Amino acid sequence: AQSVSQHNHHVILSEAASLELGCNYSYGGTVNLFWYVQYPGQHLQLLLKYFSGDPLVKGIKGFEAEFIKSKFSFNLRKPSVQWSDTAEYFCAVYLRGAGKSTFGDGTTLTVKP
Amino acid sequence: DVKVTQSSRYLVKRTGEKVFLECVQDMDHENMFWYRQDPGLGLRLIYFSYDVKMKEKGDIPEGYSVSREKKERFSLILESASTNQTSMYLCASIPGGISNQPQHFGDGTRLSIL
């Protein structure tokens, strides 16, 4: 069965530190990849997505992610985090043809001011 | 902008009750999903539907059923609620046949079973 692994369950950073959240998936077919963010008390919303083309994708609020097909990875990065980035981040893999997504367990990011 | 509305933000029910969670979307999306979100476990798919009266089991369907009588509405039913079904429930929708679109989520229903 397909699975999505997020390596860090809880990350604590100071403002201006750089961020990298890992995401690996196990599925041999064609996938679309997403990062969602859930700010405290809010619904999940899209941060960025990849489905084809340039493997380096840029999202909202200065986030970017790189798809490395050979490593089955889609890591999320931000060069300088802000206190307002405190949230839970979910990696998701959409399996084309299956009509559904598999989510990772989530990473809680706490940014200290 | 797509709006996915879940009928309740908070719900408290008793063990053994039949519980209905309602979800409505306003963008004529074909596909709708029900997840539960638990700390450390991420989102787990319960059921999804790709058309009216159609349903597919997700990863954790046991103890749940669904109903999709109209395109815009997708209901999750707990046939006989148990304490291990205490959780946050999320509904989502997506256009059918377009695999590069993100899911649109509702605000969630935090359900407590006593």
Side-chain angles (χ1 to χ4, degrees):
Chain A
Q2 61 278 356
S3 65
V4 179
S5 298
Q6 293 184 236
H7 312 302
N8 313 98
H9 289 291
H10 197 176
V11 173
I12 302 173
L13 296 172
S14 297
E15 275 194 314
S18 64
L19 169 72
E20 181 160 2
L21 301 183
C23 174
N24 284 87
Y25 64 94
S26 62
Y27 181 67
T30 304
V31 297
N32 293 336
L33 301 162
F34 301 85
W35 276 97
Y36 291 89
V37 60
Q38 187 174 34
Y39 297 105
Q42 297 186 26
H43 62 267
L44 271 99
Q45 55 188 283
L46 179 71
L47 202 54
L48 47 77
K49 65 179 182 180
Y50 170 83
F51 57 95
S52 67
D54 189 344
L56 184 63
V57 292
K58 296 189 183 300
I60 61 172
K61 303 187 180 185
F63 285 90
E64 64 179 31
E66 185 176 13
F67 171 49
I68 302 179
K69 190 174 181 180
S70 60
K71 294 185 178 180
F72 298 89
S73 71
F74 189 55
N75 292 353
L76 181 71
R77 299 194 293 251
K78 186 171 184 178
S80 176
V81 295
Q82 300 173 315
W83 176 79
S84 58
D85 293 324
T86 294
E88 190 159 17
Y89 293 81
F90 293 93
C91 179
V93 176
Y94 179 86
L95 314 177
R96 296 191 198 180
K100 63 176 184 175
S101 296
T102 298
F103 284 77
D105 292 346
T107 298
T108 301
L109 171 65
T110 301
V111 180
K112 295 183 175 180
Chain B
D1 200 18
V2 177
K3 189 156 181 65
V4 179
T5 303
Q6 294 184 230
S7 53
S8 305
R9 289 296 300 270
Y10 301 93
L11 206 54
V12 180
K13 296 291 182 180
R14 295 206 173 273
T15 304
E17 281 192 70
K18 191 169 186 175
V19 181
F20 293 85
L21 303 183
E22 305 287 346
C23 174
V24 177
Q25 50 91 5
D26 65 356
M27 281 300 292
D28 206 35
H29 286 172
E30 284 77 11
N31 297 354
M32 297 186 73
F33 306 83
W34 274 107
Y35 298 90
R36 62 177 283 177
Q37 182 181 8
D38 298 288
L41 297 178
L43 276 70
R44 292 179 292 168
L45 182 64
I46 305 171
Y47 268 96
F48 64 107
S49 168
Y50 51 87
D51 203 351
V52 175
K53 297 193 184 294
M54 305 300 287
K55 60 183 179 182
E56 294 283 343
K57 291 181 180 179
D59 300 317
I60 51 164
E62 296 78 17
Y64 303 94
S65 62
V66 290
S67 173
R68 185 115 182 254
E69 296 297 318
K70 293 185 178 181
K71 192 175 186 179
E72 67 271 18
R73 186 180 297 270
F74 191 35
S75 303
L76 179 69
I77 304 155
L78 285 66
E79 297 291 343
S80 177
S82 64
T83 54
N84 63 12
Q85 292 178 309
T86 291
S87 186
M88 171 71 88
Y89 290 86
L90 300 178
C91 176
S93 73
I94 191 173
I98 305 173
S99 61
N100 62 349
Q101 293 301 309
Q103 295 184 48
H104 297 268
F105 287 88
D107 288 338
T109 296
R110 187 166 294 282
L111 175 64
S112 297
I113 306 296
L114 305 179

